[in-house]
Amino acid sequence: MTQVTNFKGQHGGAAKGCLIAAVILILLAVGGGWLMWNKVTGMMGEELTAAIKDDPAILEHIGTIDEIKLDLMATGKRPENQDTGSDGDDAVMVFDITGSKGKGRLVAKIDGKAAEDSGEMFESVTLEMGGGKSYPISIKGKAPAATPEKAPEAAPEKAPEPAGAGAGK
């Protein structure tokens, strides 16, 4: 007489338990990554808010800052970030900014070397508004990036008049 043993029922519970554990680990990893991403981008927004909130252009066009959020899609589309042959010196991050008076877009040039040395992440920031208008923004502790302007021409110097030249007329 041959006895047939059914192994299916004995191991099915272990496989089901492993599958449930794997799903839970994946959900924790994805959820943890999402939470970490939100924390990091939130910290960047808070740092940027503190650095630019008193700038005259921000106060005039945005007002009191309500929110600054990283725009990954716009960051990836910027021409400065498209040059794969560069060493990243011209890389920028794009943030959407909303405030009590309006909304716009901040283009922040990343200064990797300064971030390593001093912890300051941004080299310069520009506020872009509708209609193609943009304004250099001063970062707390730094002057705004200079916009190339033509220096006023110096007036030609007059040669000093000889003594008594105007007295004899």
Side-chain angles (χ1 to χ4, degrees):
M1 195 166 204
T2 310
Q3 187 175 6
V4 177
T5 309
N6 184 357
F7 292 104
K8 195 175 193 179
Q10 294 175 353
H11 298 290
K16 191 183 240 182
C18 285
L19 181 61
I20 291 172
V23 168
I24 290 172
L25 286 174
I26 290 170
L27 289 174
L28 286 174
V30 170
W34 180 79
L35 287 174
M36 186 60 89
W37 173 256
N38 279 339
K39 183 158 182 75
V40 168
T41 58
M43 286 172 38
M44 283 192 290
E46 289 171 9
E47 180 182 331
L48 196 51
T49 298
I52 67 170
K53 67 181 181 179
D54 296 325
D55 181 84
I58 293 291
L59 295 172
E60 179 181 344
H61 299 287
I62 302 298
T64 303
I65 298 171
D66 293 331
E67 183 178 50
I68 295 180
K69 290 181 87 170
L70 177 64
D71 185 339
L72 266 182
M73 293 296 285
T75 297
K77 291 179 181 177
R78 290 298 291 208
E80 300 92 327
N81 295 336
Q82 299 296 319
D83 184 10
T84 56
S86 82
D87 57 1
D89 285 345
D90 295 329
V92 297
M93 296 178 82
V94 179
F95 296 85
D96 292 324
I97 182 170
T98 56
S100 58
K101 292 183 178 180
K103 61 183 178 177
R105 180 163 276 179
L106 296 170
V107 178
K109 185 173 181 186
I110 301 167
D111 187 353
K113 180 67 177 147
E116 290 174 14
D117 295 343
S118 68
E120 289 186 23
M121 180 176 250
F122 305 112
E123 182 179 321
S124 63
V125 177
T126 302
L127 172 63
E128 293 181 349
M129 300 296 292
K133 294 184 181 179
S134 64
Y135 306 91
I137 302 298
S138 60
I139 303 171
K140 194 173 191 175
K142 289 185 178 181
T147 54
E149 294 179 354
K150 186 176 179 183
E153 294 183 25
E157 290 186 32
K158 282 187 172 180
E161 290 186 25
K169 289 186 180 181

